[in-house]
Amino acid sequence: MQPIDTALSATSPHAESAFAPAPVTVGTGPVSMTDVVAVARHDARVLLGDDARAAVAASRTTIEVLASDTAPHYGISTGFGALATTFIGADDRTRLQQSLVRSHAAGSGPEVERETVRALMLLRLSTLLTGRTGIRLSTAEAYAGLINAGITPIVREYGSLGCSGDLAPLAHCALALMGEGTVRDRTGTEMPATEALAAAGLEPVLLAEKEGLALINGTDGMLGQLSLALHDLHTLLGTADVAAAMSIEALLGTDAVFAADLAGLRPQLGQQASATNLRHLLAGSPIVASHKGPECTRVQDAYSLRCAPQVHGAARDTIEHASRIADRELASAIDNPVVTIDGRVESNGNFHGAPVAYVLDFLAIAVADVASMSERRTDRMLDPARNNGLPAFLAHDVGVDSGLMIAQYTAAGIVSELKRLAVPASVDSIPSSAMQEDHVSMGWHAARKLRTGIDGLARVLGIEVMTASRALDLRVPLTPGPATGAVLAEVRREVAGPGPDRFLSPEIESVAASVRTGAVLAAAQTVTGTLS
């Protein structure tokens, strides 16, 4: 399944942006989620801040002093993991760092998407530039050079346990920095890393003490995917409100339950934002006004309509919580050992991915539930026993045509998959490294399944929007409100209105793409202004 904002495969570079994104300056402080999106999806260049250059140089001096000491220091003059007490002589330390990267670049499976790799590389660079890792400035500059040259190391799906961070994915990136392994250049062509570096005018890096660890020991893979997911979910939750408003109109539902005073009785912030959106989206709707009189005997709508703000709002609150965790992680310096501000080099456990893994799993639950409610609204619009006068399956000639029957099957199949993906990855742990790493986060796996879940949610919402659009057309001479009408017009730019059965798959893909790119939400906002 594909991510929001791009329909490109893991092996294709992002299409040229319609704009030249501003460069992202990486200093000792955190990059933002907006920065992650700019570099990962829009190929923004990265620049090294002057503060970062000074901090990196200072911490490298500390490492070089310890490297000359005859006493062992973890990660500088010792082995790693279960070999942490094995002293390594000065002559073997470059080979030690190279061996660490080569052995840890042990991923397997399909290629990971370009944007995911670029996100994790930016975040690793951000940590390197905090001055807490002890890396040389020249190595950090070379890493930035890879990003700016559009060189994407080939990273495999499987390999990370989320502790010590995302070792295998980061090791594949470090391997490319060394001029080894395989990469894709800016055009998406697969080639040996040494050829890509040469073509870009870059030199392979010969790693020095501590640098192998600094390059691979972090939560950057799971955090990069969390940052991209949060960006996408802001669009999808707004679109979920749009889809719900269209379905409410199509089913002759009421907007009375979204009143501000009713929402205020339960001061859940997400719920209030969603209810406000629905009021704006349904404002001025002739369809809603058509059944507000005493002739309408229906007491209340089904939960999938009436409780949309409660479910969508809970998802919004989950996003807000996850965003707080992401912001804290973006401000973190994850490495082991780290160079402290006062010059100590200390082992620590900050690489454990639990904080990030938990919220990735939490978001997968919210994604599944929002999709589940959307599918229920789609199903209701197709059922003549519940859709208040619309033809069965919104078919043109009931009995001859099947209408949108199987589109609902597709949504149901996706929702079933999303429920499976909502099972937490972070509750699992498999010991590794001879029981030295005896508890792991599985945060990478949580990120991978959330990515699939986000794509599924976009498709389910697309099917609801497509279904509601046909249902609204069938309500003539009644017309939808200005906001939902703008969305209907947007859908009709690519997808025809009601009629005899036709090939549906391209229409589903078209509307799902409009959901992913934010076109559906943008159409509504031409009337409502920016929704919450």
Side-chain angles (χ1 to χ4, degrees):
M1 292 184 175
Q2 298 164 331
I4 308 299
D5 274 4
T6 176
L8 300 168
S9 72
T11 59
S12 300
H14 202 289
E16 289 295 325
S17 299
F19 61 93
V24 172
T25 299
V26 185
T28 56
V31 295
S32 68
M33 282 185 269
T34 300
D35 293 333
V36 174
V37 173
V39 172
R41 290 183 174 163
H42 305 298
D43 285 3
R45 290 183 58 81
V46 295
L47 306 175
L48 276 59
D50 291 339
D51 60 334
R53 293 177 181 274
V56 168
S59 66
R60 184 62 199 176
T61 299
T62 300
I63 296 300
E64 290 175 351
V65 168
L66 294 176
S68 64
D69 192 355
T70 56
H73 297 279
Y74 176 65
I76 301 170
S77 55
T78 71
F80 314 107
L83 304 177
T85 59
T86 302
F87 181 79
I88 306 295
D91 293 342
D92 291 327
R93 290 175 191 166
T94 290
R95 187 162 59 87
L96 169 70
Q97 302 299 319
Q98 292 173 326
S99 296
L100 173 71
V101 172
R102 289 167 181 154
S103 65
H104 283 55
S108 182
E111 286 183 46
V112 171
E113 309 79 19
R114 182 177 191 265
E115 67 174 27
T116 296
V117 178
R118 288 181 62 82
L120 73 87
M121 290 180 72
L122 172 67
L123 295 177
R124 181 71 331 218
L125 178 65
S126 180
T127 287
L128 297 177
L129 295 179
T130 62
R132 305 276 68 83
T133 72
I135 203 166
R136 292 172 298 168
L137 179 58
S138 60
T139 302
E141 290 173 332
Y143 205 80
L146 279 182
I147 297 172
N148 288 337
I151 295 172
T152 306
I154 291 179
V155 174
R156 301 293 177 182
E157 178 81 15
Y158 305 109
S160 174
L161 301 181
C163 185
S164 300
D166 295 311
L167 289 173
L170 286 164
H172 280 268
C173 298
L175 194 68
L177 187 69
M178 292 164 48
E180 301 180 22
T182 53
V183 302
R184 293 191 182 274
D185 68 6
R186 194 182 296 277
T187 70
T189 302
E190 181 177 351
M191 64 180 63
T194 184
E195 293 182 12
L197 292 178
L202 303 174
E203 294 289 334
V205 173
L206 189 64
L207 301 180
E209 293 94 344
K210 177 64 174 65
E211 291 190 316
L213 273 179
L215 287 166
I216 70 172
N217 209 329
T219 58
D220 310 291
M222 61 185 92
L223 178 58
Q225 291 174 89
L226 174 60
S227 299
L228 295 173
L230 288 168
H231 174 269
D232 297 342
L233 284 169
H234 282 293
T235 298
L236 290 183
L237 263 293
T239 306
D241 287 340
V242 172
M246 295 177 74
S247 295
I248 288 163
E249 276 189 303
L251 289 164
L252 303 184
T254 178
D255 62 348
V257 293
F258 310 132
D261 59 343
L262 294 177
L265 295 174
R266 190 187 200 186
Q268 297 287 358
L269 299 183
Q271 175 183 325
Q272 293 189 7
S274 184
T276 299
N277 286 348
L278 285 165
R279 290 198 301 274
H280 291 325
L281 288 162
L282 293 169
S285 168
I287 292 180
V288 172
S290 72
H291 54 91
K292 280 191 172 182
E295 69 279 0
C296 181
T297 59
R298 196 165 57 257
V299 176
Q300 54 190 10
D301 292 328
Y303 288 3
S304 59
L305 308 180
R306 191 183 355 149
C307 301
Q310 286 72 20
V311 173
H312 297 181
R316 289 172 180 275
D317 290 338
T318 303
I319 290 171
E320 289 305 308
H321 169 63
S323 296
R324 286 193 295 272
I325 299 300
D327 284 340
R328 293 171 192 165
E329 197 75 4
L330 289 166
S332 301
I334 306 295
D335 194 14
N336 183 46
V338 293
V339 182
T340 64
I341 294 174
D342 61 1
R344 301 178 347 266
V345 178
E346 298 286 356
S347 183
N348 66 93
N350 286 338
F351 49 73
H352 198 291
V356 181
Y358 288 178
V359 294
L360 286 163
D361 279 334
F362 197 0
L363 288 170
I365 292 171
V367 163
D369 204 34
V370 172
S372 177
M373 178 172 262
S374 171
E375 182 276 330
R376 288 294 80 204
R377 291 190 294 263
T378 295
D379 180 69
R380 182 168 288 269
M381 285 184 280
L382 301 179
D383 184 356
R386 296 177 293 149
N387 66 16
N388 293 308
L390 294 170
F393 305 109
L394 308 184
H396 176 71
D397 185 356
V398 177
V400 174
D401 292 317
S402 296
L404 300 184
M405 177 194 296
I406 308 303
Q408 183 267 330
Y409 286 31
T410 300
I414 295 171
V415 168
S416 180
E417 173 73 356
L418 298 190
K419 291 174 182 177
R420 185 185 68 80
L421 294 173
V423 175
S426 57
V427 298
D428 187 29
S429 178
I430 298 179
S432 57
S433 193
M435 292 298 288
Q436 177 72 4
E437 299 169 9
D438 60 351
H439 186 277
V440 297
S441 77
M442 296 296 180
W444 173 271
H445 295 269
R448 299 307 293 164
K449 67 187 183 66
L450 176 60
R451 185 179 177 89
T452 301
I454 286 173
D455 177 77
L457 174 58
R459 294 176 186 279
V460 171
L461 291 174
I463 290 170
E464 181 183 4
V465 169
M466 183 183 77
T467 303
S469 295
R470 180 178 286 202
L472 289 172
D473 279 336
L474 292 171
R475 289 293 181 193
V476 292
L478 295 175
T479 57
T484 51
V487 177
L488 176 58
E490 174 67 24
V491 171
R492 289 290 168 257
R493 290 176 56 194
E494 299 291 337
V495 175
D501 282 353
R502 55 185 182 257
F503 184 23
L504 276 182
S505 180
E507 299 186 2
I508 293 172
E509 293 301 296
S510 176
V511 182
S514 295
V515 168
R516 280 198 300 270
T517 61
V520 166
L521 180 60
Q525 290 180 149
T526 61
V527 175
T528 64
T530 301
L531 293 168
S532 299

